[in-house]
Amino acid sequence: HVQLVESGGGSVQAGGSLRLSCAASGYTYGRYYMGWFRQGMGNEREGVAALTSTTSVYDDSVKGRFRISQDNSRNTVYLQMDSLKPEDTGMYYCGLQTLVGYCYLRTLVFRPDIGYWGQGTQVTVS
């Protein structure tokens, strides 16, 4: 049973910082890749950042402000968010993409049929 548990969301003022965490467990089928996605009110879920084999990728809206990292020993992926803006408000989800979905995740596209979502953590910037 694959489980992704996000934490670290909250309410901050513009210019503030938050650090999101996502702990993954239960995936025993080989290599996988992780990314962060968000969904604002009335919007579709969009890719924010993802880790590939050799580098990390970011949406243009967060470049230079957000940083994704991973602690393999803890099966945890992080999203450090600095200089937050009101437009960053939304529910943030981490996604685990299987090896087959790598080519999608590196363009911040998530295939739910070959991956897993966490339950989300709310970020509100005012």
Side-chain angles (χ1 to χ4, degrees):
H1 176 64
V2 177
Q3 192 171 20
L4 304 175
V5 180
E6 298 103 330
S7 60
S11 297
V12 296
Q13 292 187 338
S17 298
L18 285 172
R19 188 192 193 208
L20 306 183
S21 300
C22 174
S25 62
Y27 189 80
T28 60
Y29 308 109
R31 187 78 180 262
Y32 61 88
Y33 301 93
M34 302 287 289
W36 286 96
F37 297 76
R38 67 186 178 190
Q39 187 167 14
M41 188 70 70
N43 296 330
E44 294 185 354
R45 197 171 298 187
E46 61 180 4
V48 175
L51 282 169
T52 70
S53 296
T54 57
T55 187
S56 51
V57 294
Y58 298 92
D59 183 75
D60 287 343
S61 66
V62 306
K63 281 181 180 177
R65 301 188 298 120
F66 290 12
R67 188 173 71 88
I68 188 172
S69 60
Q70 188 167 359
D71 183 341
N72 291 325
S73 66
R74 297 184 177 184
N75 293 325
T76 300
V77 64
Y78 304 96
L79 185 67
Q80 177 66 41
M81 305 186 297
D82 298 320
S83 302
L84 282 161
K85 304 175 180 180
E87 51 263 43
D88 294 319
T89 294
M91 186 70 80
Y92 282 68
Y93 300 88
C94 74
L96 183 155
Q97 196 81 90
T98 64
L99 181 61
V100 176
Y102 169 73
C103 60
Y104 297 96
L105 191 63
R106 65 180 181 177
T107 60
L108 296 178
V109 172
F110 190 83
R111 285 276 306 271
D113 56 323
I114 48 175
Y116 302 87
W117 287 116
Q119 83 288 351
T121 185
Q122 178 68 35
V123 171
T124 303
V125 185
S126 59

